[in-house]
């Protein structure tokens, strides 16, 4: 018997570990674009699921953004069926988005995957992001100056408020390994032209920025960025627990909204104070404050000289007596 390719062994192990958290006989969704990453994930999942009695449903999203997208989606579905999975193709309409076409396509894709997962009563949706994708995400977060939350990158496992579970089994796997998996398995991945289109920021990071960093700073940059994301996620989880424990003691409902104790906010370090402000506004009003907005609210605690209410998206903040009161507009 020929020896198993190292690439196949590595990705099967990653998938086996991820599936181990799911019940036997469950249904899982594999998001399949047809590229090397998702195709390797689909093949490894189809193989590993058999021993657990898990049904695999591949879902290919046709965004309709380029000529031949329907044929590419049909080809991906055919590959999935040949691997032993049930295959679904979902066509989506990508609406205009102020954040650009990448964000619009991503939003449409995740909404469709979420809908299929609910319809199929799937235990989880498996995504084919790799260590390289994680490194790119961290670099993009650095470029935006969006703080530790963005630098945490993508979580290996996340559960949404609606109960949808997203799992990324290959976040420790390099993109070259998925390509080697496909070559060793005689699978022909689809090369999405958008993955070479330098109009997209992520493509420029992938093809221009990371190679320069590897050349100038030495190899291992992608792995270092992924480790940074992992460490920040660990810190953030601990921090999040502290914040929720603190909020229980310092937040109370006011007549016109929600009130946070000024004294308690002042007693906390700036990092914790700012996170409490952001979390309160997000939880109560569904609004994500920018850093500048958060700091303006914090000034009501640390540098108050009688200034009036601060106008925020969806609400306002004002110092009233011993509390900062957030009121819906």
């Amino acid at each position: 018997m020929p020896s198993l390719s190292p690439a196949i062994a590595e990705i099967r192990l990653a998938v086996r570990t991820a599936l181990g958290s799911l019940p036997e006989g469950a249904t899982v969704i594999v998001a399949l674009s047809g590229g090397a990453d998702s195709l390797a994930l689909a093949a490894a999942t189809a193989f590993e699921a058999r021993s657990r009695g898990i049904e695999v449903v591949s879902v290919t999203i046709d965004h309709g953004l380029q000529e031949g997208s329907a044929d590419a989606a049909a080809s991906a579905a055919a590959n999935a069926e040949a691997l032993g999975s049930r295959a679904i193709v979902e066509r989506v309409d990508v609406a205009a988005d102020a954040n650009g076409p990448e964000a619009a396509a991503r939003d449409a894709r995740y909404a469709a995957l979420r809908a299929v997962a609910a319809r199929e009563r799937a235990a989880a949706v498996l995504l084919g992001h790799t260590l390289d994708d994680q490194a790119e995400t961290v670099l993009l977060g650095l470029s935006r100056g969006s703080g530790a939350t963005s630098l945490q990158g993508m979580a290996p496992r996340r559960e949404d408020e609606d109960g949808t579970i997203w799992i990324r089994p290959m976040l420790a796997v390099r993109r070259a390994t998925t390509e080697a998996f496909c070559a060793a398995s005689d699978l022909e991945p689809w090369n999405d032209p958008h993955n070479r289109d330098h109009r997209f920021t992520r493509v420029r990071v992938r093809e221009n920025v990371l190679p320069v960093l590897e050349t100038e700073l030495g190899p291992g940059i992608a792995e270092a960025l992924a480790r940074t994301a992992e460490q920040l996620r660990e810190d953030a989880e601990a921090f999040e627990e502290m914040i929720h424990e603190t909020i229980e003691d310092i937040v109370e409902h006011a007549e016109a909204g929600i009130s946070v104790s000024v004294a308690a906010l002042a007693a906390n370090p700036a990092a914790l104070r700012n996170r409490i402000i952001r979390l309160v506004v997000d939880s109560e009003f569904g609004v994500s404050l920018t850093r500048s907005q958060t700091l303006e609210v914090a000034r009501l605690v640390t540098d108050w000289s009688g200034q009036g209410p601060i106008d925020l998206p969806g609400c306002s903040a004002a110092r009233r007596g011993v509390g900062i009161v957030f009121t819906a507009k």
Side-chain angles (χ1 to χ4, degrees), residues 142-293:
L142 279 170
S143 71
R144 289 191 293 264
S146 46
T149 299
S150 181
L151 299 186
Q152 294 169 37
M154 297 174 286
R157 180 187 176 103
R158 188 188 84 237
E159 182 171 356
D160 289 348
E161 291 182 359
D162 65 0
T164 306
I165 294 175
W166 309 87
I167 299 178
R168 297 178 174 91
M170 302 193 303
L171 278 183
V173 174
R174 295 301 304 261
R175 183 173 292 131
T177 304
T178 69
E179 294 168 352
F181 181 109
C182 290
S185 304
D186 292 326
L187 295 172
E188 187 173 349
W190 175 57
N191 294 311
D192 185 351
H194 281 177
N195 288 337
R196 299 290 182 185
D197 191 335
H198 282 234
R199 290 178 302 165
F200 301 117
T201 307
R202 185 175 285 272
V203 174
R204 297 196 298 274
V205 168
R206 178 181 306 144
E207 297 200 347
N208 298 341
V209 178
L210 271 171
V212 168
L213 290 175
E214 291 275 355
T215 299
E216 298 298 328
L217 301 179
I221 293 299
E223 288 86 352
L225 289 167
R227 285 196 304 273
T228 297
E230 185 176 2
Q231 291 164 9
L232 283 170
R233 276 196 307 277
E234 291 174 353
D235 292 346
E237 288 171 4
F239 215 3
E240 196 75 12
E241 188 174 338
M242 291 172 56
I243 291 170
H244 283 284
E245 290 176 355
T246 302
I247 282 178
E248 289 180 5
D249 297 327
I250 69 172
V251 174
E252 61 182 27
H253 285 281
E255 183 178 346
I258 192 164
S259 177
V260 187
S261 165
V262 168
L265 285 173
N268 280 299
L272 190 55
R273 179 166 57 244
N274 293 340
R275 287 198 178 210
I276 289 170
I277 291 169
R278 287 196 297 270
L279 182 59
V280 166
V281 173
D282 186 31
S283 300
E284 189 72 15
F285 306 103
V287 171
S288 296
L289 297 183
T290 64
R291 177 166 175 79
S292 61
Q293 290 166 341

Side-chain angles (χ1 to χ4, degrees), residues 106-146:
R106 182 177 60 250
D107 290 345
R109 179 167 61 254
Y110 277 88
L113 288 169
R114 183 178 284 106
V116 174
R119 191 170 71 226
E120 296 287 335
R121 298 184 179 181
V125 180
L126 273 56
L127 304 170
H129 296 115
T130 65
L131 185 147
D132 297 80
D133 294 310
Q134 185 75 298
E136 293 160 13
T137 299
V138 174
L139 274 180
L140 287 168
L142 279 170
S143 71
R144 289 191 293 264
S146 46

